[in-house]
């Protein structure tokens, strides 16, 4: 008698044979085969396709037997059936803990049914996505309904203006499902993107004490997330992602309809329009939710034909392409070339562009919209057919990948066993046939995507001709004399050295061992590069700089293709490397930055702080907070990319010299804000939120204070960050999680995590070097202080130099209330009345100590001037300003408003402490000296210049020093 698995492919048959007795110690049970007249062969077939099915049958046979007695696997998993089953599970719910158990048992049944039917191909794509989406809807609605009732019992019922009737009425939450959940197209193993809303402001009634509506719904939202997302002994229900809400992770967890409408009207970004196309009310007050959706429709669908959507989609495409290259995700069937995301982009581009006029496009299902595009003759019949076939194939393949282990993934497998499973699920004889079909669909999608959403650089690809001599030179078809002569005739200032560098590159061991395709790419690129170098004034020097990059990408020649196919990017590369060896080194260290060169307009016009925040939020949406390693890598790339844009803009002159530090400081602030959010979320997931004595909704109660160049808005390209951490939480309380710790311990770990994220060397380098020595008591003090302890230290124990440092300090990230508390303390400390003469003596003594250790020795000052530390330099100006601030703020408290030297000097002139002429001239000298340091940094030069530089400026600063400080 043959085994049930004998007809399976050998690798799968062996796998099932090894596990059969573990899953079924007494043989295939009658209850499993009897319900749907299944044979043991069918069961073996199912188990060969999914270790998840195997695991459920092994661990929970009684539960599955009970479920199949109610309804067999041969019948579809409909929304009506799922609703009915949830009511069965709900009968066992008596408290929050039993609610979590019921939800997780319900998930086990639903996932078993959905994955079995999908992987066995008993269900088509439409049934699978409808079942997965309906299951999510039922879970969210079921959990919300129970938790709302329980919350009303504890805190009272929230009341406010009903958006339908306009009268006062009890209010319920509205839950918006985004992405595939909103579109009714959820994967078999997916997280869910949600936004929480409530109709209007108001208060709870009939509770122990009144809560405002927002506080009530924030607490309800937190409980809902915990019910679905928390991992317990029974597993979890859904990973919940709330980062699509207004302001992302830093925004309130629940917002009123009015606040949502105002945000999208005033601040909504293009990518948020894209996300909102799929939005759907999935739980809560459906009637009120429809009012909200109608109010948001004008944001998503414009009345006119909106071709600007193409540009925003191109930008999103470029960002995803960078991510794919950085992570090496070419095998990702969602994000890689020709993947699911590109089909979604094509469809949603038409929705955003024409949806306001063609209301047929205001639907959520991608396959439905494809049909509408064909009916409206917006896409040819053949294109729609190929996109539809590719989408169904790719989504079925995605479910095959996820259903094997009930795990969210879109990566093609690399092991033979998983490949055999996927081939069987997809109906192919072997993996090679499956891959061949996949490649065909991806090529079709990539072609249509490029045709529909082509970028300007794509249009220019391959344009221009290169002289044959450049190919002959690179391929050694010219002798040395002819090669050097050709280079010299094209203005290479050191033709012999350029020839030597090219010869050394060709003899490089990596080049010698290159595969055929990589060598072909290099041989195509080098002649094009050499001709491009003729457009700059210093081609030999530029060649030496660009070759650092070439050598860095010899094993990743996709970057050479990027430069070959984008003449604009190639031009920017040569120009920037000609202008700055610092930029050349940055590109060589991080070749992914080449993506920034694709758009010259954005390259030379760096974004302001609000745009930076939006850019970072958008980049980080796809990375879970718990994936700390990937968060750290992405943050490093974000910082490097934007610093590169600042440097490029400074070199081109599109960014005024005085603005350079502003932009560099904004980058640091945006990064710090996100790092605090990541670190805080990471600790909360382990220990819960820090306790608050007033029972108010959780906040971080934590602030990052910037000192030095960060506080003074004077960051340079390689500046470290001088930071101090404070918090306002009650140190006597503990966190509220399953593994509670004292608040004080929580904040210490938070500070350590922040420093770790910033300081650690990863493959992409260090984010920022952090200096914590300015905290109370320096290195011997606590890493994180309470704000009250910080105030006591400043009042009683701080040295004069620490008050000098406080003049350049300001809050840069964290909780708004804590930051405000710090600013109040800073103001009070700086406004203390001081003995002017004693203070002057202390400041002068400190300045002399610094000169002795850091300034140029007296005997060398004719040859060298150190812009920062020598007499007449930047530090002299800074010390004078700090002395005058500390001396006169008691009588002129408005002096404390600013933390940067420039505006402090202007303020000293405005209140009459310094003559206006001196204030203006000192400011001009300060700007000139700082600008020189910036420019020299881009040339990899130090702050030391010729001894006769800035003679007049130095003499003037020294003269003012003598007048103000004496001696």
């Amino acid at each position: 008698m043959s085994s049930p698995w004998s007809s399976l492919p050998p690798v799968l048959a062996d796998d099932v044979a090894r596990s059969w007795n573990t899953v079924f110690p007494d043989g295939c049970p009658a209850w499993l085969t009897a319900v749907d007249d299944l044979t043991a062969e069918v069961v073996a077939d199912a188990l060969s396709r999914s270790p998840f099915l195997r695991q459920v049958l092994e661990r929970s046979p009684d539960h599955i037997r009970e479920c199949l007695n109610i309804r067999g696997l041969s019948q579809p998993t409909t929304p009506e059936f799922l609703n009915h089953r949830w009511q069965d599970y709900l009968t066992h719910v008596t408290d929050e803990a039993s609610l979590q158990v019921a939800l997780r048992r319900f998930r086990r049944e639903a996932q078993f049914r959905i994955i079995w039917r999908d992987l066995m191909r008993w269900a088509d794509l439409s049934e699978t996505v409808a079942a997965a989406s309906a299951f999510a809807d039922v879970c969210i609605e079921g959990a919300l309904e129970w938790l709302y009732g329980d919350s009303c019992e504890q805190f009272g019922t929230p009341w406010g203006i009903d958006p339908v009737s306009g009268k006062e009425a009890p209010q319920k939450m509205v839950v918006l499902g985004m992405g595939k959940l909103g579109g009714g197209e959820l994967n078999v193993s997916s997280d869910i993107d949600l936004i929480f809303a409530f109709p209007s402001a108001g208060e709870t009634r009939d509770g122990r004490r009144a809560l405002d509506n927002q506080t009530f719904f924030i607490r309800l939202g937190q409980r809902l997330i915990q019910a679905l997302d928390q991992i317990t002994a029974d597993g979890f229900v859904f990973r919940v992602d709330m980062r699509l809400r207004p302001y992302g992770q830093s925004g309130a967890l629940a917002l009123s309809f009015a606040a949502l409408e105002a945000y999208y009207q005033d601040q909504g970004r293009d990518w948020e329009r894209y996300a909102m196309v799929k939005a759907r009310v999935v739980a809560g007050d459906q009637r009120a939710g429809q009012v909200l959706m109608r109010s948001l429709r004008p944001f998503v669908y414009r009345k006119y034909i909106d071709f600007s959507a193409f540009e925003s989609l191109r930008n999103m495409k470029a960002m995803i392409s960078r991510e794919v290259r950085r992570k090496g995700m070419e095998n990702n069937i969602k994000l890689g070339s020709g993947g699911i995301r590109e089909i979604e982009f094509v469809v949603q581009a038409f929705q955003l562009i024409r949806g306001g006029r063609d209301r047929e496009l205001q639907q959520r299902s991608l396959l439905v919209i494809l049909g509408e595009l064909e009916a409206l003759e917006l896409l040819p019949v053949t294109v729609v057919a190929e996109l539809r076939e590719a989408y169904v194939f790719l989504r079925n393949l995605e479910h095959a990948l996820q259903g094997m282990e009930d795990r969210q993934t879109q990566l093609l497998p690399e092991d033979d066993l998983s490949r055999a499973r996927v081939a069987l699920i997809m109906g192919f004889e072997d993996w090679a046939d499956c891959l061949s079909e996949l490649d065909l669909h991806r090529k079709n999608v990539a072609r249509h995507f490029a045709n529909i959403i082509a970028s300007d650089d794509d249009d220019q690809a391959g344009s221009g001709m290169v002289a044959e001599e450049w190919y002959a030179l690179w391929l050694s078809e010219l002798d040395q004399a002819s090669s050097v002569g050709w280079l010299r005739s094209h203005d290479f200032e050191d033709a012999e050295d350029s020839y030597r560098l090219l010869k050394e590159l060709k003899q490089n061991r990596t080049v010698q061992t290159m595969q055929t395709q990589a060598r072909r790419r290099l041989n195509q690129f080098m002649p094009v590069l050499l001709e491009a170098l003729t457009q700059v004034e210093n081609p030999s020097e530029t060649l030496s700089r660009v070759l650092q990059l070439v050598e860095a990408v010899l094993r990743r020649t996709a970057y050479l293709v990027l430069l070959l196919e984008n003449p604009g990017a190639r031009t920017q590369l040569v120009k920037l490397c000609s202008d700055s060896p610092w930029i050349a080194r940055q590109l060589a260290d991080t070749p992914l930055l080449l993506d920034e060169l694709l758009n010259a307009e954005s390259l030379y016009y760096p974004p302001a702080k609000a745009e930076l925040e939006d850019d970072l939020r958008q980049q980080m949406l796809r990375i879970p907070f718990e994936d700390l390693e990937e968060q750290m890598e992405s943050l490093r790339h974000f910082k490097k990319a934007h610093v590169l844009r600042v440097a490029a803009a400074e070199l081109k002159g599109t960014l005024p010299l005085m603005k350079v530090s502003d932009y560099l400081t904004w980058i640091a602030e945006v990064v710090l804000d996100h790092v605090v959010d990541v670190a805080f979320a990471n600790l909360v997931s382990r220990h819960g939120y820090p306790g608050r004595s007033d029972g108010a909704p959780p906040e971080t109660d934590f602030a990052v204070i910037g000192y030095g160049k960060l506080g003074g808005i004077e960051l340079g390209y390689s500046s470290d960050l001088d930071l101090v951490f404070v918090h306002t939480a009650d140190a006597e309380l503990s966190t509220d999680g399953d593994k509670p710790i004292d608040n004080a311990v929580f904040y210490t770990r938070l500070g350590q995590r922040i420093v770790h994220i910033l300081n650690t060397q990863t493959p992409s380098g260090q984010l920022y070097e952090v200096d914590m020595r300015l905290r109370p008591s320096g290195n011997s003090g606590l890493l994180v202080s309470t704000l009250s302890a910080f105030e006591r230290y400043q009042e009683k124990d701080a040295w004069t130099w620490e008050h000098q440092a406080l003049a350049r300090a300001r809050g840069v990230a964290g909780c708004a209330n804590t930051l405000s508390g710090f600013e109040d303390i800073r103001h009070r400390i700086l406004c203390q009345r001081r003995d002017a003469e004693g203070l002057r003596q202390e400041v002068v003594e400190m300045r002399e100590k610094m000169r002795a250790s850091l300034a140029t020795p007296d005997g060398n000052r004719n040859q060298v001037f150190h812009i920062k530390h020598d007499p007449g330099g930047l530090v002299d100006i800074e010390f004078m300003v700090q002395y005058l601030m500390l001396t006169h703020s008691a009588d002129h408290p408005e002096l404390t408003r600013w933390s940067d030297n420039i505006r402090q000097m202007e303020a000293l002139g405005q209140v009459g402490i310094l003559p206006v002429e001196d204030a203006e001239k000192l400011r001009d000298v300060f700007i000139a000296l700082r600008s020189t340091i910036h420019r020299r940094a881009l040339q990899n030069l130090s702050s030391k210049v010729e001894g006769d530089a800035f003679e007049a400026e130095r003499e003037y600063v020294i003269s003012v020093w003598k007048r103000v400080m004496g001696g």
Side-chain angles (χ1 to χ4, degrees):
M1 182 177 174
S2 62
S3 302
W5 50 84
S6 59
S7 62
L8 292 170
V11 65
L12 297 178
D14 291 345
D15 180 57
V16 174
R18 284 193 296 271
S19 63
W20 188 263
N21 288 334
T22 305
V23 180
F24 304 128
D26 301 318
C28 188
W31 60 262
L32 182 56
T33 55
V35 176
D36 293 296
D37 295 325
L38 300 182
T39 64
E41 285 74 17
V42 171
V43 174
D45 188 5
L47 300 195
S48 76
R49 300 172 186 228
S50 173
F52 164 72
L53 297 176
R54 209 181 293 177
Q55 182 185 83
V56 173
L57 286 169
E58 179 183 345
R59 295 181 180 178
S60 308
D62 293 339
H63 183 204
I64 297 304
R65 179 179 185 176
E66 172 194 330
C67 297
L68 297 188
N69 282 335
I70 295 169
R71 185 176 194 153
L73 295 168
S74 62
Q75 299 179 66
T77 310
T78 63
E80 295 76 18
F81 172 72
L82 289 166
N83 266 306
H84 173 75
R85 285 298 290 141
W86 170 244
Q87 295 306 314
D88 293 339
Y89 284 100
L90 189 58
T91 60
H92 302 285
V93 175
T94 56
D95 56 20
E96 204 159 350
S98 59
L99 174 68
Q100 293 196 10
V101 171
L103 284 165
R104 283 149 183 77
R105 283 174 57 81
F106 183 34
R107 180 188 194 275
R108 184 188 302 145
E109 175 184 349
Q111 287 294 92
F112 187 85
R113 291 181 182 279
I114 293 168
I115 289 175
W116 181 293
R117 287 184 55 78
D118 183 78
L119 299 194
M120 292 296 287
R121 289 297 178 256
W122 297 359
D124 61 10
L125 176 63
S126 61
E127 180 194 316
T128 298
V129 297
S133 303
F135 169 63
D137 290 357
V138 172
C139 286
I140 299 166
E141 177 64 48
L144 177 62
E145 187 176 5
W146 191 93
L147 291 167
Y148 176 79
D150 189 67
S151 295
C152 288
E153 285 186 16
Q154 293 185 51
F155 308 115
T157 302
W159 279 69
I161 300 299
D162 182 86
V164 178
S165 67
K167 299 176 181 177
E168 276 212 334
Q171 298 204 342
K172 289 189 174 184
M173 181 182 275
V174 172
V175 181
L176 298 185
M178 311 294 284
K180 286 190 168 67
L181 172 60
E185 302 163 334
L186 202 63
N187 295 326
V188 297
S189 183
S190 178
D191 58 5
I192 52 176
D193 296 292
L194 305 178
I195 292 177
F196 297 154
F198 59 94
S200 65
E203 286 189 340
T204 60
R205 299 181 185 178
D206 303 322
R208 290 193 296 271
R209 66 184 181 90
L211 293 179
D212 66 84
N213 283 358
Q214 183 168 40
T215 300
F216 177 92
F217 286 111
I218 285 175
R219 290 185 179 179
L220 176 60
Q222 289 165 343
R223 295 179 73 190
L224 177 59
I225 293 169
Q226 189 172 39
L228 299 171
D229 190 280
Q230 189 172 29
I231 298 174
T232 71
D234 297 299
F236 68 100
V237 188
F238 284 102
R239 293 170 292 272
V240 178
D241 195 330
M242 299 297 299
R243 288 176 292 172
L244 286 177
R245 71 186 188 267
Y247 306 106
Q249 193 67 18
S250 60
L253 192 64
L255 288 174
S256 69
F257 287 7
L260 277 170
E261 189 174 356
Y263 171 83
Y264 287 117
Q265 181 177 329
D266 298 338
Q267 301 181 51
R269 307 291 194 259
D270 284 335
W271 65 266
E272 288 175 304
R273 284 183 66 202
Y274 176 85
M276 197 57 73
V277 165
K278 296 273 192 185
R280 174 173 65 91
V281 180
V282 297
D285 190 336
Q286 290 282 346
R287 188 165 139 275
Q290 296 315 310
V291 175
L292 174 64
M293 295 307 297
R294 284 195 295 273
S295 73
L296 298 180
R297 189 171 292 135
F299 166 67
V300 184
Y301 298 110
R302 306 293 159 85
K303 291 180 180 178
Y304 49 86
I305 295 178
D306 181 19
F307 285 105
S308 67
F310 271 130
E311 183 59 35
S312 62
L313 285 165
R314 284 187 199 121
N315 293 337
M316 282 190 273
K317 173 213 171 186
M319 186 179 75
I320 290 169
S321 297
R322 287 195 294 271
E323 185 179 15
V324 168
R325 275 195 291 273
R326 181 169 59 80
K327 294 183 179 178
M329 293 194 301
E330 288 77 9
N331 281 336
N332 188 305
I333 63 165
K334 177 181 178 182
L335 300 180
S337 176
I340 296 167
R341 182 58 59 86
E342 291 188 357
I343 304 175
E344 293 172 340
F345 269 22
V346 167
V347 170
Q348 288 176 292
F350 283 104
Q351 288 185 276
L352 292 177
I353 292 163
R354 306 190 68 101
R357 293 279 294 273
D358 298 316
R359 296 181 68 86
E360 306 96 312
L361 300 179
Q362 294 185 17
Q363 301 183 67
R364 300 183 182 92
S365 167
L366 184 142
L367 290 173
V368 170
I369 296 296
L370 271 177
E372 296 293 349
L373 293 176
E374 180 181 331
L376 291 167
E377 298 184 350
L378 294 173
L379 282 178
V381 174
T382 54
V383 172
V384 170
E386 288 184 351
L387 289 177
R388 183 185 289 117
E389 289 169 12
Y391 183 74
V392 171
F393 182 90
L394 288 167
R395 289 300 307 274
N396 281 331
L397 176 57
E398 182 180 37
H399 290 157
L401 298 174
Q402 296 183 353
M404 289 190 293
E405 305 274 0
D406 186 20
R407 182 169 62 89
Q408 186 176 16
T409 181
Q410 284 91 16
L411 291 174
L412 294 175
E414 297 183 355
D415 63 286
D416 291 339
L417 180 57
S418 297
R419 287 176 169 180
R421 285 180 183 137
V422 172
L424 179 64
I425 294 166
M426 296 297 291
F428 293 97
E429 287 293 324
D430 54 36
W431 176 249
D433 289 348
C434 181
L435 204 56
S436 177
E437 181 78 6
L438 171 63
D439 288 343
L440 174 65
H441 287 302
R442 290 182 72 169
K443 284 175 183 174
N444 286 339
V445 172
R447 184 177 74 257
H448 296 315
F449 180 80
N451 289 339
I452 295 166
I453 309 183
S455 68
D456 296 337
D457 285 319
D458 293 334
D459 295 339
Q460 297 172 16
S463 62
M465 299 292 291
V466 176
E468 288 297 323
E469 285 82 357
W470 294 115
Y471 287 96
L473 188 158
W474 169 249
L475 296 172
S476 302
E477 294 170 2
L478 300 180
D479 60 28
Q480 180 172 348
S482 300
S483 296
V484 171
W486 178 258
L487 290 167
R488 192 175 288 123
S489 70
H490 285 79
D491 298 325
F492 278 71
E493 71 275 17
D494 192 344
E496 289 83 359
D497 188 61
S498 295
Y499 177 79
R500 177 185 61 79
L501 290 172
L502 292 170
K503 185 176 179 181
E504 288 177 358
L505 175 62
K506 290 193 68 174
Q507 293 172 347
N508 183 300
R509 177 166 176 77
T510 304
V511 173
Q512 296 288 318
T513 57
M514 273 179 146
Q515 298 295 315
T516 303
Q517 183 190 50
R519 182 183 292 276
R520 184 168 61 248
R521 289 173 173 176
L522 181 65
N523 289 342
Q524 287 175 318
F525 174 71
M526 288 305 299
V528 175
L529 170 65
L530 291 169
E531 182 164 84
L533 289 167
T534 63
Q535 303 303 310
V536 296
E537 295 180 358
N538 54 339
S540 289
E541 187 174 24
T542 305
L543 174 65
S544 68
R545 296 170 182 175
V546 176
L547 287 183
Q548 298 176 83
L549 168 67
V550 174
E551 291 177 4
V553 301
L554 287 174
R555 298 187 189 279
R556 294 173 287 173
T557 54
Y559 289 110
L560 300 182
V561 175
L562 182 150
L563 291 168
L564 272 169
E565 294 182 350
N566 295 277
R570 194 164 62 241
T571 299
Q572 302 308 328
L573 169 69
V574 170
K575 185 178 185 314
L576 289 171
C577 290
S578 169
D579 290 343
S580 169
W582 183 87
I583 287 181
R585 185 69 258 169
Q586 293 296 305
L587 291 168
D589 288 344
T590 311
L592 189 62
L593 294 176
L594 290 171
D595 285 299
E596 300 303 317
L597 311 186
L598 292 172
N599 187 335
E601 185 175 339
S602 65
L603 175 64
Y604 293 112
Y605 296 92
K609 186 174 181 181
E611 295 170 85
L612 281 168
E613 290 171 334
D614 186 60
D615 186 22
L616 181 60
R617 180 182 160 204
Q618 191 179 352
Q619 286 190 34
M620 294 301 190
L621 276 175
R622 288 183 300 280
I623 306 171
F625 268 16
E626 58 268 21
D627 189 349
L628 192 57
E629 181 179 342
E630 187 55 35
Q631 287 275 345
M632 289 166 68
E633 284 297 295
S634 293
L635 280 168
R636 279 152 179 76
H637 173 68
F638 171 85
K639 180 220 174 178
K640 287 184 175 184
H642 284 288
V643 169
L644 173 68
R645 290 166 71 173
V646 173
E650 179 174 5
L651 289 168
K652 190 175 177 69
T654 55
L655 193 64
L657 290 169
M658 263 309 297
K659 289 291 184 182
V660 170
S661 285
D662 289 1
Y663 278 79
L664 294 174
T665 303
W666 290 339
I667 293 167
E669 290 172 359
V670 169
V671 166
L672 283 168
D673 244 335
H674 185 78
V675 168
V676 171
D677 284 344
V678 171
F680 189 79
N682 194 278
L683 283 170
V684 166
S685 69
R686 297 184 182 190
H687 305 294
Y689 286 92
R692 303 183 83 181
S693 54
D694 60 0
E699 288 279 351
T700 64
D701 293 333
F702 177 87
V704 179
I705 312 303
Y707 276 71
K709 290 180 180 176
L710 176 60
I713 319 176
E714 295 167 6
L715 281 185
Y717 291 105
S718 302
S719 298
D720 59 5
L721 302 184
D722 293 300
L723 303 179
V724 169
F725 300 149
V726 294
H727 73 87
T728 54
D730 188 336
E732 301 299 315
L733 298 179
S734 301
T735 60
D736 63 3
D738 292 336
K739 298 177 181 177
I741 54 175
D742 292 344
N743 281 356
V745 175
F746 179 96
Y747 284 105
T748 298
R749 292 183 183 176
L750 177 61
Q752 290 168 339
R753 184 64 50 89
I754 291 169
V755 172
H756 169 77
I757 294 171
L758 295 170
N759 251 347
T760 300
Q761 287 285 353
T762 74
S764 297
Q766 192 178 45
L767 193 50
Y768 286 100
E769 186 170 342
V770 177
D771 191 333
M772 300 294 299
R773 290 175 294 178
L774 288 174
R775 68 185 187 268
S777 303
N779 284 339
S780 61
L782 295 173
L783 184 65
V784 185
S785 301
T786 63
L787 196 57
S788 56
F790 176 86
E791 182 175 21
R792 286 195 301 274
Y793 179 85
Q794 293 293 336
E795 288 177 342
K796 298 179 180 179
D797 299 317
W799 297 79
T800 296
W801 65 264
E802 290 177 290
H803 285 176
Q804 285 181 250
L806 195 63
R808 297 183 70 195
R810 64 190 177 89
V812 293
C815 171
N817 289 336
T818 309
L819 291 168
S820 176
F822 164 78
E823 294 298 342
D824 290 343
I825 293 169
R826 174 180 177 272
H827 177 77
R828 288 198 298 273
I829 297 298
L830 294 181
C831 288
Q832 288 177 352
R833 196 165 296 281
R834 294 171 172 84
D835 171 40
E837 188 53 44
L839 178 63
R840 179 187 289 114
Q841 186 175 342
E842 286 188 61
V843 172
V844 169
E845 286 176 0
M846 176 60 65
R847 181 71 190 100
E848 290 301 327
K849 287 180 182 177
M850 286 184 65
R851 281 182 184 162
S853 60
L854 298 172
T856 305
D858 292 344
N860 295 339
R861 285 188 184 164
N862 288 335
Q863 290 80 40
V864 177
F865 169 56
H866 196 300
I867 296 173
K868 287 178 64 178
H869 295 296
D870 282 356
L874 284 172
V875 177
D876 277 0
I877 299 175
E878 291 172 356
F879 268 53
M880 281 192 285
V881 170
Q882 291 162 12
Y883 163 72
L884 292 172
M885 289 269 296
L886 292 175
T887 303
H888 297 286
S889 288
D891 296 319
H892 300 281
E894 63 269 33
L895 291 174
T896 68
R897 180 179 178 187
W898 308 112
S899 63
D900 60 288
N901 283 292
I902 298 297
R903 285 181 291 192
Q904 287 176 347
M905 281 185 261
E906 291 172 349
L908 288 167
Q910 288 165 2
V911 301
I913 304 302
L914 277 175
V916 172
E917 182 183 351
D918 278 342
E920 291 178 350
K921 194 166 182 179
L922 279 174
R923 182 197 63 196
D924 292 344
V925 171
F926 191 84
I927 291 171
L929 295 177
R930 264 187 56 210
S931 299
T932 301
I933 289 177
H934 275 305
R935 285 194 299 269
R936 290 178 65 80
L938 292 178
Q939 302 304 321
N940 285 340
L941 298 173
S942 72
S943 299
K944 296 178 180 179
V945 295
E946 296 294 323
D948 59 358
F950 299 107
E951 283 187 331
E953 290 86 348
R954 289 151 62 186
E955 287 176 6
Y956 173 72
V957 172
I958 290 170
S959 70
V960 177
W961 176 273
K962 288 179 179 178
R963 272 189 278 134
V964 173
M965 308 302 295

